[in-house]
Amino acid sequence: MDKLIIKGKNKLRGSINVHGSKNSALPILVSALLSDQSLTLKNIPKVEDIKNMLKLLNGFGTKITKRKNSITLNSYNLKNISADYDIVRKMRASVLILGPLLSRFGNAKISLPGGCAIGTRPIDIHLEGLSKLGANFKIENGFVIGNVKNKLIENKIKLPFASVGATENILMASVLANGETVIDQAAREPEIEDLGSCLKSMGAKIEGLGSKRIYIQGVTSLCEAEHNIISDRIVAGTYIILAIM
């Protein structure tokens, strides 16, 4: 479709449901890797990126149970393997599995999203932040290979800019790290708050969500939880603009 032709002056009435936020659901799905307990999610949008993320998690051994209005993920029998390249190259959000895998297993291997060079897209901000928590990385044959000597440790991490993805990755990694981690110049989008809210329902200790400084006190394990994904603000805004037009 090249264009939309809108003829105005008609009266509008009624209501519409706005589906869950894709940008919120993707990192929250990934957060299931942090726990050996079940995570039940509601209001998951039915879009291609969500399908690909579920395939990626399933490849790691996450058991996925779909119901009419919810999805339950259980990562009890997780296998720490190299992430599926065909999925990673399609979906930039797949880099978010680095933090949880390093936190839970101490090592992880993932291809560069889209096969891109390390300096052309800001995955380096993710790696720098995770490195400050004690992870070591090398780039080899198009793969990012990370490992942790013992366990991720506390640190104060100041991001060069408020990167949403880096904030999410470091936030998830810090949940099981030793001590208190501070993310300074953190992203403040509602999707960050939604991820933090889900992690807190799983037993994480987080303060400062929605501000530029987030505090995470590491815990030893997470518990079973349920969470309702926030509605997609971009979709809501689109409907509002359409109604005005």
Side-chain angles (χ1 to χ4, degrees), residues 16-19 231-243:
I16 190 166
N17 292 322
V18 178
H19 65 64
S231 294
D232 195 309
R233 60 196 171 107
I234 299 172
V235 174
T238 303
Y239 284 128
I240 290 168
I241 292 168
L242 183 61

Side-chain angles (χ1 to χ4, degrees), residues 164-175:
V164 172
T167 300
E168 291 168 341
N169 225 337
I170 297 165
L171 176 59
M172 288 190 283
S174 303
V175 163

Side-chain angles (χ1 to χ4, degrees), residues 83-193:
D84 188 302
Y85 172 76
D86 284 335
I87 296 176
V88 172
R89 69 182 177 83
K90 297 175 185 175
M91 187 174 53
R92 176 123 181 87
S94 55
V95 72
L96 295 174
I97 67 174
L98 271 178
L101 290 180
L102 287 169
S103 189
R104 188 165 171 187
F105 290 106
N107 55 78
K109 182 180 180 182
I110 181 173
S111 65
L112 290 167
C116 59
I118 192 68
T120 57
R121 301 187 76 175
I123 185 177
D124 53 331
I125 301 173
H126 296 242
L127 303 188
E128 287 168 11
L130 294 171
S131 294
K132 290 180 179 178
L133 296 177
N136 297 298
F137 294 99
K138 62 180 179 179
I139 311 298
E140 198 172 84
N141 298 322
F143 283 87
V144 178
I145 302 169
N147 64 80
V148 180
K149 190 172 182 181
N150 292 307
K151 189 177 181 181
L152 293 178
I153 55 173
E154 64 183 332
N155 206 339
K156 183 174 181 179
I157 301 167
K158 185 171 184 178
L159 298 176
F161 64 91
S163 164
V164 172
T167 300
E168 291 168 341
N169 225 337
I170 297 165
L171 176 59
M172 288 190 283
S174 303
V175 163
L176 297 178
N178 284 329
E180 182 182 75
T181 295
V182 180
I183 307 174
D184 200 3
Q185 203 158 301
R188 289 178 263 182
E189 276 77 356
E191 292 80 12
I192 300 289
E193 292 189 67

